[in-house]
Amino acid sequence: MRKNRAEKRAIISDPIYNSKLITKVVNGIMIDGKKGTAQKILYQAFDKIAEITGKDAFEIFKQAIENITPQIEVKARRVGGANYQVPVEVREERKQTLALR
């Protein structure tokens, strides 16, 4: 077991949209530490979305993340030798992590 709880690392907001969510997506796209390339890929995708829909790409992205964010998940509980799937509310931070996977 851990001696102390691990500290959460601070995430710097995205320079264009000023959003930590965008930074998390860029970090997920990034390969071999090439953050600039990952940002370019994401921003080009946002430009295409804005061009096709005519709406703000960041708002569409936020709505898409909201739509796929889980509200509850099931956890296994052992009661008297039997395993039961018990629905549990998902913490806010975990919701975002699960949505971005």
Side-chain angles (χ1 to χ4, degrees):
M1 287 186 57
R2 255 188 189 284
K3 192 172 191 178
N4 295 327
R5 189 174 202 132
E7 288 183 25
K8 297 288 179 195
R9 294 182 184 169
I11 296 175
I12 300 168
S13 295
D14 177 61
I16 293 179
Y17 294 99
N18 199 25
S19 169
K20 291 185 180 185
L21 181 63
I22 297 291
T23 303
K24 287 182 181 183
V25 172
V26 167
N27 289 343
I29 295 171
M30 182 171 52
I31 298 173
D32 293 334
K34 296 183 181 262
K35 189 170 249 181
T37 304
Q39 285 176 335
K40 195 185 306 180
I41 290 168
L42 186 68
Y43 296 150
Q44 286 174 354
F46 276 13
D47 290 342
K48 282 187 180 180
I49 290 170
E51 183 182 308
I52 292 170
T53 62
K55 298 177 184 173
D56 183 28
F58 182 60
E59 292 299 322
I60 292 172
F61 175 72
K62 281 198 314 190
Q63 183 64 44
I65 291 293
E66 227 175 83
N67 288 343
I68 62 170
T69 301
Q71 301 301 316
I72 60 170
E73 66 181 341
V74 292
K75 293 212 172 186
R77 288 276 165 238
R78 190 165 175 87
V79 179
N83 289 325
Y84 294 104
Q85 298 291 320
V86 179
V88 179
E89 264 190 54
V90 184
R91 290 176 297 130
E92 202 61 40
E93 188 175 307
R94 182 160 166 76
K95 283 181 185 181
Q96 194 177 58
T97 303
L98 289 173
L100 292 175
R101 282 190 185 164

